[in-house]
Amino acid sequence: MSLTVVGSIAFDAVETPFGKRERMLGGAATHFALAASFFDQVHVVGPVGDDFGDEEMAVLGTRGTDVSDVERVTGGETFFWAGRYSENLNVRETLDTRLNVFADFEPKLSPASRDADVLFLANIQPDLQLGVREQCERARFVAMDSMDLWINTARESLERVIGRVDCLILNDEEIELLTGAPNLVTAANEVLRMGPDVVVAKQGKYGAALFTADDHFWVPAFPLQTVIDPTGAGDTFAGGFVGFVAAHGDQPLTEGLLRRAMAYGTALASFNVEEFGTERVARLTADEIPERVTQLRRMTHFEDAPVELRD
Amino acid sequence: MSLTVVGSIAFDAVETPFGKRERMLGGAATHFALAASFFDQVHVVGPVGDDFGDEEMAVLGTRGTDVSDVERVTGGETFFWAGRYSENLNVRETLDTRLNVFADFEPKLSPASRDADVLFLANIQPDLQLGVREQCERARFVAMDSMDLWINTARESLERVIGRVDCLILNDEEIELLTGAPNLVTAANEVLRMGPDVVVAKQGKYGAALFTADDHFWVPAFPLQTVIDPTGAGDTFAGGFVGFVAAHGDQPLTEGLLRRAMAYGTALASFNVEEFGTERVARLTADEIPERVTQLRRMTHFEDAPVELRD
């Protein structure tokens, strides 16, 4: 079994109250691949420029991730994003976005990438997502991300691709924006009617929620005393979640399996925010991960017992 | 065993995207008492004006709540608050606050209120909270709420009363404001060093977190398709939480007991937001509550199992 991700590979300049980086490896596909590769063989599809070095490519190729579909555009520069976070990290201000090689990106998938069992369409223009989705006819599980920009400027295209995937992973407020529903439960149910069987609402520092036809599941973010840089947390979460699903293709995609995938995504995301960009996850080892899942389970567990109530 | 709450009894004017009320029963002590009275005998202490009618007093006295310490100030008007909620209910704008009889409130506790086993100091000026706390020497568990206003204008008094209670229940952002810590985990740990053994962070629509010396617990808000008015949700949560603790005075105050209290607080708060003000909880019956706690447990549960990770 294998897993293909299509999305941005980037250089980020990030400033948080705890420090800054002028230029670090980033991008949705990068964060996703670093997390997902703990679970399965990953193929990364995305463009980079001449400025993308061997060192960055080596990080992208961690745990055997296939980078042969990383397209190097001669004479081009890698996608660049600069942003600054507020005091409590809640608000992110974009200072600069240079699409560079991403402006003319036309995803070309090799047979290995096309034949993947699982596909993740990271946040790119929805028509591109649809094109990739159509190339991967054999995928048994296709998940996608998006953003407010596409909801506001390319809604028809976005709805078309949402209708063709199994799982939408999106920020809670974007799910509400997409549907116009006044709360997340109603909004997620509307997305389920648009096609996907699974909706995952990312809630930032508050965690994530899973919606299927019959059930809900809510998991908090893993509590940390040190949060340095949230950049890429959502994509790292998605990498853990989708990677877990990809690695369990021999089992039916039950609610229980999806919930465990949510827990692993949460654990992976918690490592990501402990340092800038990919720094922490790039040196994360497999033995560090299960402990956080176990702790997460302990921190959300309570015993139900009959209680005498007054009436 | 019994439970005393000291705090505001009010008339609220509220506008949400789903409707409005020009004048409805409200106030922290009111919402708290309606929830806590499912668990224990409640004594309410707070002032009202001539405009407070028998009908409102009857609601306050639901399930045998003792209202004999509700002080009726002749010639005065009841505390009045007017507010408006944003489209997604996330932002609340205060349109009017008239302290009225609350301006000169000096809590006077009858022996029955003073001798309560458990005390809740709702959000009032911290020197008043301290005065009440000192009157209730026998209380085995004292919890308190507060707000950003007192953090910013009466910090010394506030810290003094925090140092004298067992439990601080506060919005997550106010806990961060109080301590200046950059995230909730660090902030809650700092509050634990200020005196309380228990810190509860209210996270609005995202739920609540429990911090003790050795442990954390996170519970989501109960997911609802219909949210009409969040006013009083925090006090209703506190009423369920503190009420549960009060009703279990025969058991040691373990982490497990506190977690179940969190679940009951969450269930109670979920009823509160389904209609305006006290409308839903005023007609809530005891048999409706445990089902939500059971559902909450089901929606947060996942099985942990060994996973093969790549390295």
Side-chain angles (χ1 to χ4, degrees):
Chain A
M1 288 171 288
S2 72
L3 164 55
T4 294
V5 54
V6 180
S8 62
I9 301 162
F11 286 118
D12 291 340
V14 169
E15 190 175 341
T16 84
F18 311 104
K20 61 195 287 185
R21 293 290 184 275
E22 297 291 352
R23 179 185 161 96
M24 64 187 189
L25 178 60
T30 307
H31 288 287
F32 181 94
L34 277 170
S37 57
F38 279 108
F39 301 92
D40 206 348
Q41 162 77 52
V42 178
H43 305 273
V44 178
V45 182
V48 299
D50 292 330
D51 53 349
F52 201 77
D54 292 342
E55 205 181 311
E56 286 92 16
M57 198 66 93
V59 174
L60 204 52
T62 300
R63 278 175 294 281
T65 287
D66 171 24
V67 295
S68 55
D69 276 358
V70 174
E71 185 185 351
R72 194 182 288 275
V73 181
T74 312
E77 279 187 71
T78 301
F79 177 67
F80 178 79
W81 176 81
R84 185 163 50 202
Y85 289 85
S86 66
E87 199 61 41
N88 63 2
L89 301 173
N90 278 2
V91 184
R92 178 165 96 172
E93 180 189 2
T94 290
L95 301 174
D96 196 1
T97 303
R98 293 182 223 156
L99 287 178
N100 296 335
V101 296
F102 219 72
D104 302 308
F105 175 49
E106 290 176 23
K108 295 171 205 68
L109 276 63
S110 64
S113 295
R114 261 203 313 270
D115 290 346
D117 190 44
V118 169
L119 171 65
F120 182 65
L121 304 165
N123 169 32
I124 54 175
Q125 206 282 337
D127 292 318
L128 295 182
Q129 290 180 312
L130 189 60
V132 174
R133 202 271 163 264
E134 284 172 349
Q135 289 181 58
C136 297
E137 288 186 339
R138 295 178 41 179
R140 73 171 169 91
F141 185 78
V142 180
M144 67 177 285
D145 189 10
S146 191
M147 72 186 295
D148 51 0
L149 174 67
W150 310 125
I151 297 170
N152 290 324
T153 66
R155 179 180 287 267
E156 266 187 51
S157 297
L158 180 59
E159 289 184 359
R160 209 172 297 132
V161 58
I162 290 174
R164 296 288 311 280
V165 302
D166 304 289
C167 173
L168 177 68
I169 303 175
L170 203 59
N171 290 333
D172 55 353
E173 286 174 2
E174 289 166 342
I175 293 176
E176 291 172 19
L177 177 67
L178 173 66
T179 59
N183 62 64
L184 183 58
V185 177
T186 310
N189 284 334
E190 286 200 22
V191 176
L192 290 173
R193 280 192 287 273
M194 293 167 72
D197 295 323
V198 179
V199 174
V200 175
K202 297 181 284 186
Q203 304 180 300
K205 69 175 180 178
Y206 294 108
L210 168 75
F211 298 87
T212 55
D214 310 314
D215 231 328
H216 301 179
F217 172 65
W218 303 74
V219 64
F222 188 89
L224 294 168
Q225 299 225 31
T226 308
V227 179
I228 297 297
D229 172 24
T231 309
D235 296 305
T236 306
F237 169 87
F241 175 78
V242 177
F244 190 97
V245 170
H248 292 82
D250 57 335
Q251 295 172 31
L253 194 63
T254 59
E255 173 80 18
L257 193 147
L258 289 168
R259 287 180 175 204
R260 284 162 67 209
M262 293 281 288
Y264 274 85
T266 300
L268 265 299
S270 74
F271 289 108
N272 176 79
V273 303
E274 287 182 335
E275 295 180 23
F276 277 95
T278 62
E279 291 169 15
R280 180 68 182 93
V281 180
R283 51 160 223 283
L284 183 66
T285 55
D287 59 304
E288 298 177 274
I289 300 168
E291 169 64 14
R292 289 215 174 163
V293 174
T294 302
Q295 282 188 50
L296 200 59
R297 182 161 188 273
R298 196 175 47 69
M299 287 185 300
T300 55
H301 177 78
F302 67 94
E303 289 294 336
D304 197 5
V307 169
E308 208 173 310
L309 293 168
R310 301 168 81 239
D311 215 347
Chain B
M1 287 170 288
S2 72
L3 164 55
T4 294
V5 53
V6 181
S8 62
I9 301 162
F11 286 117
D12 291 340
V14 169
E15 189 177 341
T16 83
F18 311 105
K20 61 195 285 185
R21 292 290 183 276
E22 297 292 351
R23 179 187 162 94
M24 64 187 188
L25 178 60
T30 307
H31 288 287
F32 181 93
L34 277 171
S37 57
F38 279 108
F39 301 92
D40 206 348
Q41 162 76 52
V42 179
H43 305 272
V44 179
V45 182
V48 298
D50 292 328
D51 53 349
F52 201 78
D54 292 343
E55 204 181 312
E56 286 91 16
M57 198 66 92
V59 174
L60 203 53
T62 300
R63 278 175 295 280
T65 287
D66 171 25
V67 296
S68 56
D69 276 358
V70 174
E71 186 185 350
R72 193 183 289 274
V73 181
T74 312
E77 280 187 71
T78 302
F79 178 67
F80 177 79
W81 177 80
R84 185 164 48 203
Y85 290 84
S86 66
E87 199 62 41
N88 62 2
L89 301 172
N90 277 3
V91 183
R92 180 165 94 173
E93 181 190 2
T94 290
L95 302 174
D96 196 1
T97 304
R98 293 183 223 154
L99 287 178
N100 296 335
V101 297
F102 219 74
D104 302 309
F105 176 48
E106 289 176 23
K108 295 172 206 67
L109 276 63
S110 64
S113 295
R114 262 204 312 270
D115 290 347
D117 191 44
V118 169
L119 172 65
F120 182 64
L121 305 164
N123 169 33
I124 54 175
Q125 206 283 336
D127 292 318
L128 294 183
Q129 290 179 313
L130 189 60
V132 173
R133 201 272 164 264
E134 284 172 350
Q135 289 181 58
C136 297
E137 287 187 337
R138 297 178 42 179
R140 73 170 169 90
F141 185 77
V142 181
M144 67 178 284
D145 189 10
S146 190
M147 72 185 295
D148 50 1
L149 174 69
W150 309 124
I151 297 171
N152 291 324
T153 65
R155 179 180 287 269
E156 267 187 52
S157 297
L158 179 60
E159 290 183 358
R160 209 172 299 133
V161 58
I162 290 174
R164 296 289 310 281
V165 302
D166 304 289
C167 173
L168 178 67
I169 303 176
L170 203 60
N171 291 332
D172 55 353
E173 286 175 2
E174 289 166 343
I175 293 177
E176 292 173 18
L177 177 69
L178 173 67
T179 59
N183 62 63
L184 183 58
V185 177
T186 310
N189 285 334
E190 286 200 21
V191 175
L192 290 173
R193 280 192 287 272
M194 293 166 73
D197 295 323
V198 179
V199 174
V200 175
K202 296 181 284 184
Q203 303 180 301
K205 68 174 181 179
Y206 294 109
L210 169 75
F211 299 87
T212 55
D214 311 314
D215 230 328
H216 300 178
F217 172 64
W218 303 73
V219 64
F222 186 88
L224 294 169
Q225 298 226 30
T226 307
V227 179
I228 297 296
D229 172 23
T231 309
D235 296 304
T236 306
F237 169 87
F241 176 79
V242 177
F244 190 97
V245 169
H248 293 82
D250 56 335
Q251 296 172 30
L253 195 63
T254 59
E255 174 79 18
L257 193 147
L258 289 168
R259 288 180 174 205
R260 284 163 66 209
M262 293 281 288
Y264 274 86
T266 299
L268 265 301
S270 75
F271 289 108
N272 177 80
V273 304
E274 287 182 334
E275 297 181 22
F276 278 94
T278 62
E279 292 169 15
R280 179 70 182 92
V281 180
R283 54 159 220 283
L284 184 66
T285 54
D287 59 305
E288 298 177 273
I289 300 169
E291 169 64 15
R292 290 217 173 160
V293 173
T294 303
Q295 283 188 50
L296 200 59
R297 181 161 190 273
R298 195 175 47 71
M299 287 184 300
T300 56
H301 177 77
F302 67 94
E303 290 296 335
D304 198 4
V307 170
E308 208 173 310
L309 292 168
R310 302 167 80 237
D311 214 347

